Amino acid sequence: MTPLAEPAAPAAPREEPARPQRLARIRPVAGRVATVMAWLLVIGALLLPNELAKITPWTFLRIPVEAVVGIAVLLALPARPRRVLAILAGAGLALVTVLKAVDMGFYSVLDRPFDPVFDTTLFDPAYVFLTQAVGKAGAIGAVIGVVLLVVALIVLMTLAMLRTTRQLVTHRQTATRATAALVLAWFVCAALGAQVVSDAPLAATDTAAIAKGHAAQIRTSLRDQEMFEGEAKVDVFRNTPGERLLTALRGKDVLLTFIESYGRDAIEDPLYAAQVGSALDDGNRRLAAAGFDSRSAFLTSSTAGGGSWLAHATLNSGLWIDNQKRYNTLVSSDRLTLSSAFSRASWRTVGIMPGVTQAWPEGRFYGYDQIYDAKSMGYQGPAFALATMPDQYTLTAFERLERGRAGRGPLMAEMPLTSSHAPWAPLPRMIDWNNVGDGSVFGPMAKEGESPEEVWRDGDKTRAHYRQSIQYSLTALTSYVERHGDDNLVLIFLGDHQPAPLLTGKGATHDVPISIVTRDRGVLDRISGWQWEQGIKPSKDAPVWRMDTFRDRFLTAYSPLR
């Protein structure tokens, strides 16, 4: 007989693991924190403006109409459509937030919002600038970082929208009452015009207004081509024969020079006016001592902060070129430009283009007989960030390659000076003209100068370098005229655009100074009706024209037999 087994001893009671208990306590807290963060992300995105200058803590203490309407719609929908709408709304809000961020960059640099139709072509130049400012590795890292941030924002915003939607449904009665109260508060604030700060109404419509504005902008941009084609058909000088063009300038060498980022603020903003004004005053004295007289005014550029080629095309063509599509259409046409007008009138025309570092098919449109790019000007020194060579070398090369040649005929040259191009570091200095040589003498300056990274970490230092670059360009140009100018030289120099709003501040004009310098009083008498001021420093009361009006006025003044 098998003996009965003794009953097993009762098992000792097992203790609940500490970790699940901690998780049980933490989970509700984490859930509440996640819910609060989701609401903050959604509301913050709705209230976020698209200009850096408008961002303050008070900006986010307002009632977004989009949230009020969105809550009401979500509460009214059945479960499945509600979830689909939440996903679409989250992804859409993320994309609008990205658009706001891009707008911030465009307002900061170009003083206008992003144009989805025309501005995608500007990302390549932006990458080039970034490479110059922080290096190739830094630029690549920045691009990768931006892509990852966009993806993360879309995911997080969608999850946040789903979480807030679940909370609304879970607390439907409370949410309904709160929505009714918010609707009433929004309408009262809107009716009273209540504001938390200037231009920030409590009854906010930021996101809807920005989305609506960009939608209207897209429609306008899509129609812009048709408008531009109509404007381009009007050209009173299209068929003017060469023998009737520019007769009042026969025998003159005409030098059209753009100074990069030389804007009205350079001579009027207290941050720059004293030093730049001193360079202009010194230039006036030196030019007068060399027998030159001058007249000055302002032109309103078609761009600001960048896009120099748009301003060059505007001045040359007499058409308002403020986007890349207009520019591409223009340079594919046979529009008469200032340079092609001189060519038609039997001047030799050249483009001195230190900023051109690759193929430039647009050069054919301008009608130059010869184009000198960065590679064909003989420069053996270092680049100064985006300036491939110092302005003093550019002017020296022009004199050696073209104007100083014996036995030549009348010359017309267009020459952008680039030493004042952002990022304004490192900067060259003036040296004895006899020592310029092949430009290798500038090597130590590039090494000694501060890097763009060092300069752009400090706003005051950035502004100081900008000011110094304008002083340098003006000094180089006036010194060139003093040294090489003669009775046949007519110099037209102007800025292409204002620098970025980071330097000028919000609300700056798009005006740039323009001056005509010559020894021949007859040349200046031709423009006496323009009421331009004497000297190369226009006052705040000097005339202001749109830049696209210059071509026709200039050709009219100097083609009296047209």
Side-chain angles (χ1 to χ4, degrees), residues 81-266:
R82 182 171 57 240
R83 180 177 176 80
V84 171
L85 179 61
I87 292 172
L88 293 176
L93 182 55
L95 292 176
V96 172
T97 304
V98 171
L99 182 59
K100 290 180 180 181
V102 176
D103 274 353
M104 289 180 197
F106 271 73
Y107 273 115
S108 297
V109 177
L110 299 178
D111 196 27
R112 60 174 177 81
F114 172 68
D115 187 325
V117 176
F118 297 131
D119 287 340
T120 54
T121 57
L122 297 180
F123 289 127
D124 282 343
Y127 176 76
V128 172
F129 172 77
L130 191 61
T131 301
Q132 294 288 344
V134 300
K136 187 172 183 179
I140 293 173
V143 171
I144 293 173
V146 167
V147 172
L148 292 176
L149 280 174
V150 170
V151 173
L153 180 61
I154 293 173
V155 172
L156 289 174
M157 193 69 75
T158 302
L159 293 175
M161 191 66 74
L162 286 169
R163 187 173 191 88
T164 55
T165 300
R166 287 195 299 269
Q167 290 296 313
L168 290 172
V169 175
T170 302
H171 306 284
R172 182 181 294 273
Q173 188 175 17
T174 302
T176 302
R177 291 173 179 171
T179 302
L182 286 172
V183 169
L184 178 61
W186 191 93
F187 276 107
V188 169
C189 291
L192 296 176
Q195 296 182 340
V196 288
V197 290
S198 178
D199 297 327
L202 274 168
T205 60
D206 294 49
T207 296
I210 290 169
K212 181 180 178 182
H214 276 288
Q217 180 185 44
I218 290 172
R219 290 194 298 270
T220 300
S221 296
L222 292 174
R223 292 197 302 267
D224 184 72
Q225 184 64 19
E226 182 180 349
M227 295 170 54
F228 180 65
E229 289 174 357
E231 294 167 8
K233 289 178 182 178
V234 180
D235 187 356
V236 296
F237 289 95
R238 182 190 303 277
N239 299 315
T240 304
E243 62 269 17
R244 296 175 61 189
L245 279 171
L246 301 162
T247 55
L249 291 174
R250 299 290 180 183
K252 301 296 183 184
D253 293 330
V254 179
L255 177 56
L256 174 61
T257 303
F258 288 90
I259 296 179
E260 172 68 33
S261 299
Y262 176 40
R264 184 171 190 144
D265 276 39

Side-chain angles (χ1 to χ4, degrees), residues 128-136 383-387 419 421-427 445-463 465-466:
V128 172
F129 172 77
L130 191 61
T131 301
Q132 294 288 344
V134 300
K136 187 172 183 179
F384 287 74
L386 288 182
S419 288
H421 197 297
W424 306 299
L427 290 175
M445 294 185 197
K447 294 178 181 178
E448 295 166 3
E450 293 183 276
S451 69
E453 297 96 319
E454 293 171 320
V455 170
W456 280 72
R457 291 192 194 107
D458 185 331
D460 290 339
K461 189 174 287 188
T462 304
R463 286 183 282 272
H465 274 66
Y466 163 72

Side-chain angles (χ1 to χ4, degrees), residues 271-284:
L271 292 170
Y272 318 116
Q275 293 85 349
V276 173
S278 177
L280 289 168
D281 290 337
D282 182 63
N284 269 327

Side-chain angles (χ1 to χ4, degrees), residues 460-505:
D460 290 339
K461 189 174 287 188
T462 304
R463 286 183 282 272
H465 274 66
Y466 163 72
R467 182 185 67 233
Q468 291 164 21
S469 74
I470 296 295
Q471 290 176 265
Y472 169 80
S473 293
L474 290 169
T475 300
L477 184 58
T478 53
S479 178
Y480 168 82
V481 175
E482 180 186 35
R483 179 181 177 85
H484 295 290
D486 57 26
D487 292 345
N488 290 326
L489 178 65
V490 177
L491 168 67
I492 306 165
F493 76 91
L494 69 154
D496 49 11
H497 54 69
Q498 288 260 52
L502 292 169
L503 281 82
T504 63

Side-chain angles (χ1 to χ4, degrees), residues 253 395-408 411 480 484:
D253 293 330
L395 291 158
T396 298
F398 166 62
E399 187 68 20
R400 182 185 74 249
L401 294 168
E402 286 290 339
R403 193 161 184 273
R405 294 194 309 178
R408 62 171 180 80
L411 179 69
Y480 168 82
H484 295 290

